[in-house]
Amino acid sequence: AVHDSAFLKERQAHSQKLNEMQLEVDALAAAWSYDSRYKRTSHAAHQLSAAVFSLEETLAGRSNIPLKEQCNVLASVAARLDDPLLDETCKRLNEITLDAPTLTQLQARFKVAARAGRVGALVPENSGLWGYALASVASTLSFAGEALPANGARSEAAAVLSRAERRLDEGALAEAVAEVRTLRGPPRALCAGWLEAAEQRLLMEQVLTTAKAEASLAVSAMS
């Protein structure tokens, strides 16, 4: 009986020691897993900061890296961070079909588009190419100071283009785009290319704003 009792105590002590060792192993595994996950997240957070900076440089016209390439990098980093907001934002990058122009480029392009739009506003309905030719002559006379017959739609289109140009010169791209979106008929068609490029630029600015905020939060969480 004494022998059995001693054997039982030994088994219990051995079992307790095994349990303690298992707890230590589990703790080490959890610490290793946390450390590994922390390092991966930290690396991704810093990659996100770098991707955001690179994208900002491209939008400012200071980098020649293709925009689509940068969008792919940003989306890849977002996926590794498992950030729902950033991931959803990056899905909008699929809408990007052009290299977003700089604000300076958009300002220069709008000068041409607005001039064409003003000509388009003078085109009589269903007049074809001949109408555009007449409108071009009429527009030249108008710019030279000659009075032209008033027309509500033509005057409104000219006013919209002037307001949009002022907003753009002030750097208010969103407001300029909002003005151009109100155009109809030939003026709208003639400004369509500029409008598409401007909307792509606005989309990239929205993505960049969200990505910068998320990058800041991700890096802060690591410290």
Side-chain angles (χ1 to χ4, degrees):
V2 174
H3 181 269
D4 290 342
S5 177
F7 180 72
L8 181 60
K9 286 181 180 179
E10 185 180 350
R11 286 191 62 182
Q12 288 175 338
H14 182 67
S15 178
Q16 183 177 356
K17 188 172 183 180
L18 286 176
N19 287 336
E20 290 173 354
M21 290 177 63
Q22 184 61 50
L23 288 173
E24 290 178 2
V25 169
D26 289 345
L28 285 171
W32 180 86
S33 177
Y34 173 80
D35 183 63
S36 178
R37 185 168 61 253
Y38 176 87
K39 287 179 179 178
R40 287 197 305 270
T41 305
S42 177
H43 182 58
H46 285 90
Q47 280 187 317
L48 176 60
S49 295
V52 167
F53 176 76
S54 182
L55 180 58
E56 193 170 25
E57 289 293 288
T58 293
L59 288 178
R62 295 188 293 267
S63 171
N64 294 323
I65 300 176
L67 185 61
K68 199 65 179 177
E69 180 180 324
Q70 300 207 38
C71 290
N72 291 337
V73 170
L74 188 60
S76 174
V77 174
R80 290 202 297 277
L81 278 171
D82 193 24
D83 185 322
L85 175 59
L86 186 58
D87 191 48
E88 191 63 32
T89 300
C90 286
K91 286 179 181 177
R92 299 192 63 196
L93 294 174
N94 294 327
E95 301 172 29
I96 301 295
T97 57
L98 307 169
D99 272 349
T102 65
L103 182 60
T104 300
Q105 289 170 333
L106 284 171
Q107 288 170 334
R109 286 178 61 177
F110 190 72
K111 301 291 183 185
V112 178
R115 189 178 303 117
R118 290 187 178 96
V119 171
L122 299 173
V123 176
E125 291 185 13
N126 304 317
S127 58
L129 293 175
W130 179 242
Y132 274 93
L134 289 175
S136 182
V137 173
S139 178
T140 301
L141 291 174
S142 177
F143 294 150
E146 297 291 336
L148 290 174
N151 177 286
R154 296 169 188 171
S155 299
E156 177 58 25
V160 166
L161 290 167
S162 294
R163 288 196 300 270
E165 197 162 9
R166 284 198 302 273
R167 299 291 183 273
L168 198 54
D169 288 342
E170 294 165 0
L173 179 59
E175 288 81 354
V177 166
E179 290 284 359
V180 175
R181 283 174 180 161
T182 67
L183 291 171
R184 296 292 180 269
R188 172 65 179 254
L190 290 164
C191 291
W194 179 89
L195 184 60
E196 181 185 9
E199 287 175 336
Q200 299 258 318
R201 168 80 191 192
L202 284 179
L203 174 58
M204 285 308 310
E205 288 182 353
Q206 291 168 4
V207 170
L208 180 61
T209 298
T210 301
K212 285 176 73 174
E214 293 301 292
S216 179
L217 289 172
V219 172
S220 296
M222 295 297 102
S223 58

